[in-house]
Amino acid sequence: MAPFSIYSFLGLGVPIIAVIYYAFQSEQGKPTLSNIALVTHGSYLLGFENSIVLALITSIVPGILGLILAYAIATSRSATLKRLVATASGVLANFGGINLTFMFIATLGSTGILTAWLSAIHLNPWNFGFNLYSFYGVALVYLYFQVPLMVLVITPALGGLRPSWREAAENMGASSWGYWRYVGVPVLMPSVLGGMLLLFGSGFAAYATAETLTAGTVTLAPIQIGSLLAGNQLAGQENVGYAVGLGMFVVLAVTMILYGLVRRRASKWLR
Amino acid sequence: MTELVDATRTTGAAPAGARVSLEGLVRTYGTTRALDGFSLAIEPGEFVALLGPSGCGKTTALRVLAGFERLDSGRVTVDGRDVSKISAQHRDMGMVFQSYSLFPNMNALNNVAFGLRMRRQHATQRRQKAGELLELVGLSDQASKYPHQMSGGQQQRIALARALAIEPRVLLLDEPLSALDAKVRAELRDQIRQLQQRLAITTVFVTHDQEEALSMADRVCVMSAGRAEQTATPAALYSRPTTSFVAEFVGVSSRVPVEPVDGSVVLFGERCRIRASDTGLPNGPLDALLRPEDVAITLDETAKPFVTHKSFLGATTRVIAQVDGVAVRVDVRSDVAADIELGARVRVSVVSRDVLVAERSVTNPVSPQ
Ligand SMILES: Nc1ncnc2c1ncn2[C@@H]1O[C@H](COP(=O)(O)OP(=O)(O)O)[C@@H](O)[C@H]1O
Ligand SMILES: [Mg+2]
């Protein structure tokens, strides 16, 4: 336990303390609430809102898709398929950032390959309101690594569903629906929530992908921090950046507390 | 005891269980013939144990009966009706699995009530009935516990109550005690048997433990390689096995080479009738299969056989005598055995004058068993 505590303190505690320290400081090093007041209004508030919505979309949608995919794989008979998907998920879940963004631009950008093919059959998505360099474009790119991430985290939980539970249920007159309604879903719920929380965190904090794709035109909290700390808007705004960082910590903390409460309710049968 | 009777009445168990017939069941997995023409007829209310070594097809037979496995050929009837087309969901059979089959997200009461919920019984009604069943298995005080908070033995009793709650036509148990320690196993064995008799429910119990099978069942079906070797009462199975497989799998047998002499054999110098044999009378050399109590020994300094091992079993002591290089196990009253020392010369004789014979097998290790 001791090494983990030290690790947590150095990796999480110290940065939080530093962020808090600077967030409540003026440019001149005096204590102030003005940074906080600034970031809870206007474009900074919009940044938080957009980031939270993006994180929700990119946790719930890939969460469900990943769950379905993982279940299909878990129940398949092919060991090769299982191994293949496990390996692919491991690679794809970590394939984000600038490389991924350019891959999408080359594929689905206004002059991308797929776009060209689709427009050849008069189905160019850009003509139907699609825009890769927008909020939903970012969400789409996130799907690419969030789905495999969900597959990775949920597969062990699916393996924990014992065949004898299903058979016992069937034996006592349960339909497939009855089994899932009363056994399968409740048993999986804590793991699914846990997986989605992870996706929420990674969606909320992802920076490089969104920055490269939209060149900062979509207002997201991490992008704002980036530009504030880089000082490319106004000089001397670093402390405002720290205040936005503090806001992100708060959002994540609230999410985790909510998750804890839901999980406790969903799993009072767990140890 | 009166509580038990009341509980039985209020659960409204059918007065007699169903008649079950398994006819020529064949089930293959690739090249493995898990069931290879297995047949068994079970009387209403009867407790039948399927006994056999691991991999002989016991579980497959049970799962076919429950509706979890397809058949390649053969027929399953319950009360005369073919149930092949009926899914497990609608077969009304209560099954108890080897272990960990309770739903982890439900407490004991809700586990027991699950089948009633699936049958759309009213909440108060099913809670009452589940409560009665918990009482029946003696676990009323555990109603609100979750499976992980209970011992293995308690979990299996809950699983039993859960299977009984739906008033199944047949109760199926697949090695339900094998994951438990010896003491709990013995207790539960008695409890299952008592409940079964009280409810008069047709029961199929799978086990690889002969003691379990012999002590619990009305009849035992010994299985080997996907077929029924012999189905008989425990007493008949033990004293009159019809095949060498049964003789050696159930109880302890010694193999002693014998010479056939027109329809009988000579054993320890005495002429014995052939009681039964595997496939008529085999042509080649024969072995007699002898129970430890079929053989007697007396101290005799002039005899050639001598004692090689002794193990105390309580009232009796198992003595192994070496007769012409062959180990013969003999049960002797312990007070008598006290006077028999290792290496002592003994005269060996047969107690009963009819013996089971089988084709000669080359192995006959002189081992202490
Ligand atoms: N689902 C299955 N797939 C392939 N082989 C199986 C399957 N189920 C059982 N078998 C094989 O069928 C034989 C009988 O199995 P089983 O009925 O489980 O035996 P038992 O319960 O007597 O130990 C074994 O050889 C086993 O390996
Ligand atoms: Mg088995």
Side-chain angles (χ1 to χ4, degrees):
Chain A
M1 212 55 216
F4 183 70
S5 306
I6 295 168
Y7 176 77
S8 305
F9 180 72
L10 291 179
L12 204 57
V14 172
I16 288 180
I17 291 168
V19 165
I20 292 173
Y21 180 74
Y22 289 117
F24 289 97
Q25 233 174 39
S26 73
E27 215 182 313
Q28 290 74 33
K30 300 223 178 65
T32 176
L33 288 174
S34 63
N35 298 327
I36 306 296
L38 189 61
V39 303
T40 49
H41 293 90
S43 72
Y44 294 112
L45 185 61
L46 181 66
F48 282 124
E49 280 172 12
N50 283 343
S51 281
I52 290 171
V53 172
L54 179 68
L56 282 176
I57 293 175
T58 58
S59 57
I60 294 170
V61 175
I64 292 168
L65 291 179
L67 179 61
I68 293 170
L69 183 60
Y71 181 73
I73 294 153
T75 51
S76 114
R77 273 160 215 261
S78 161
T80 320
L81 179 70
K82 286 181 188 178
R83 234 175 307 126
L84 205 70
V85 173
T87 313
S89 299
V91 174
L92 296 181
N94 291 300
F95 187 51
I98 295 168
N99 293 334
L100 178 66
T101 312
F102 281 120
M103 207 183 82
F104 262 87
I105 292 173
T107 317
L108 266 175
S110 46
T111 57
I113 292 179
L114 191 57
T115 310
W117 288 348
L118 289 171
S119 60
I121 54 169
H122 308 292
L123 283 175
N124 185 344
W126 291 74
N127 294 342
F128 296 94
F130 174 76
N131 177 3
L132 183 63
Y133 314 119
S134 69
F135 180 86
Y136 288 100
V138 175
L140 180 70
V141 177
Y142 277 26
L143 276 186
Y144 190 86
F145 57 87
Q146 298 280 66
V147 171
L149 185 58
M150 185 66 179
V151 170
L152 276 190
V153 291
I154 206 66
T155 296
L158 287 169
L161 284 180
R162 290 176 182 276
S164 61
W165 293 339
R166 203 199 172 109
E167 289 184 346
E170 210 177 316
N171 189 242
M172 283 179 286
S175 59
S176 204
W177 158 253
Y179 163 74
W180 283 108
R181 162 78 180 75
Y182 294 105
V183 185
V185 169
V187 168
L188 282 181
M189 192 51 84
S191 311
V192 170
L193 286 176
M196 285 189 180
L197 179 77
L198 195 68
L199 299 193
F200 183 91
S202 93
F204 188 61
Y207 167 71
T209 311
E211 169 70 16
T212 323
L213 197 62
T214 67
T217 56
V218 175
T219 314
L220 292 172
I223 292 179
Q224 288 175 323
I225 296 178
S227 63
L228 284 167
L229 293 189
N232 39 0
Q233 288 182 330
L234 286 165
Q237 291 271 337
E238 285 89 350
N239 291 18
V240 178
Y242 285 116
V244 178
L246 180 59
M248 289 187 70
F249 272 127
V250 171
V251 170
L252 285 177
V254 169
T255 315
M256 256 143 77
I257 289 166
L258 283 178
Y259 163 74
L261 292 177
V262 175
R263 187 188 150 104
R264 179 129 36 107
R265 270 211 47 157
S267 60
K268 54 184 184 296
W269 46 275
L270 284 177
R271 240 163 276 244
Chain B
M1 270 318 188
T2 51
E3 273 174 58
L4 279 181
V5 174
D6 285 350
T8 312
R9 192 175 306 125
T10 47
T11 55
R19 179 187 305 276
V20 174
S21 165
L22 309 176
E23 298 159 22
L25 308 187
V26 175
R27 175 72 167 109
T28 54
Y29 298 104
T31 55
T32 313
R33 290 179 87 81
L35 291 176
D36 191 10
F38 176 70
S39 294
L40 175 65
I42 307 170
E43 296 298 312
E46 195 180 21
F47 188 128
V48 171
L50 299 185
L51 173 66
S54 173
C56 71
K58 306 179 294 292
T59 296
T60 307
L62 204 69
R63 291 171 57 81
V64 164
L65 183 49
F68 293 132
E69 293 284 347
R70 283 183 305 101
L71 276 175
D72 294 335
S73 65
R75 211 163 77 108
V76 177
T77 66
V78 176
D79 281 337
R81 273 207 315 258
D82 192 332
V83 297
S84 309
K85 299 272 172 339
I86 301 177
S87 70
Q89 190 194 343
H90 299 293
R91 279 206 193 179
D92 275 337
M93 298 198 181
M95 182 136 170
V96 179
F97 298 79
Q98 190 165 348
S99 57
Y100 305 119
S101 70
L102 292 183
F103 306 130
N105 58 321
M106 297 178 201
N107 63 22
L109 191 80
N110 288 335
N111 259 287
V112 175
F114 183 83
L116 307 175
R117 179 176 224 162
M118 292 302 109
R119 281 164 173 67
R120 306 198 189 293
Q121 279 201 13
H122 205 269
T124 46
Q125 212 179 329
R126 63 177 192 244
R127 218 171 295 132
Q128 186 197 337
K129 182 154 178 185
E132 287 166 7
L133 278 150
L134 284 178
E135 201 173 312
L136 199 62
V137 296
L139 289 177
S140 300
D141 54 335
Q142 305 288 315
S144 58
K145 291 266 178 71
Y146 285 91
H148 75 85
Q149 298 169 311
M150 291 185 278
S151 72
Q154 289 173 328
Q155 289 186 31
Q156 287 306 73
R157 280 148 80 190
I158 300 290
L160 179 65
R162 184 176 71 171
L164 289 172
I166 60 169
E167 293 173 16
R169 302 163 80 191
V170 185
L171 179 63
L172 309 172
L173 305 104
D174 190 359
E175 311 221 13
L177 310 179
S178 64
L180 307 176
D181 59 48
K183 188 164 170 288
V184 180
R185 197 185 309 180
E187 275 172 28
L188 253 173
R189 195 190 280 176
D190 294 343
Q191 194 178 17
I192 291 174
R193 177 56 166 158
Q194 277 176 18
L195 269 177
Q196 186 273 335
Q197 286 180 326
R198 203 173 293 287
L199 302 174
I201 183 169
T202 307
T203 300
V204 185
F205 185 101
V206 163
T207 179
H208 64 266
D209 180 335
Q210 50 159 304
E211 202 186 319
E212 215 162 84
L214 297 177
S215 66
M216 294 174 82
D218 293 316
R219 283 191 305 150
V220 177
C221 171
V222 179
M223 291 181 70
S224 150
R227 312 183 116 262
E229 283 276 326
Q230 183 178 3
T231 306
T233 63
L237 204 64
Y238 186 82
S239 59
R240 310 194 80 77
T242 54
T243 70
S244 58
F245 178 85
V246 175
E248 288 177 292
F249 190 75
V250 178
V252 176
S253 286
S254 308
R255 270 183 178 265
V256 179
V258 287
E259 296 308 323
V261 182
D262 32 278
S264 53
V265 292
V266 177
L267 178 61
F268 306 136
E270 289 173 273
R271 185 178 270 243
C272 300
R273 273 192 307 119
I274 292 174
R275 184 215 306 160
S277 57
D278 281 355
T279 47
L281 192 57
N283 280 325
L286 300 178
D287 282 340
L289 294 165
L290 303 171
R291 297 286 190 210
E293 61 274 17
D294 290 343
V295 185
I297 52 173
T298 45
L299 284 169
D300 182 350
E301 281 168 26
T302 66
K304 272 205 308 190
F306 59 94
V307 173
T308 58
H309 296 91
K310 264 172 67 175
S311 52
F312 180 73
L313 303 177
T316 62
T317 293
R318 172 126 340 135
V319 175
I320 300 182
Q322 193 167 323
V323 188
D324 297 333
V326 169
V328 179
R329 295 167 189 82
V330 189
D331 281 354
V332 180
R333 262 175 44 202
S334 288
D335 56 338
V336 176
D339 297 333
I340 303 175
E341 306 202 332
L342 288 186
R345 298 278 168 182
V346 288
R347 189 151 46 77
V348 179
S349 56
V350 274
V351 175
S352 96
R353 288 296 177 81
D354 58 348
V355 295
L356 176 73
V357 298
E359 214 167 302
R360 181 157 315 162
S361 109
V362 278
T363 52
N364 191 343
V366 183
S367 62
Q369 276 186 31

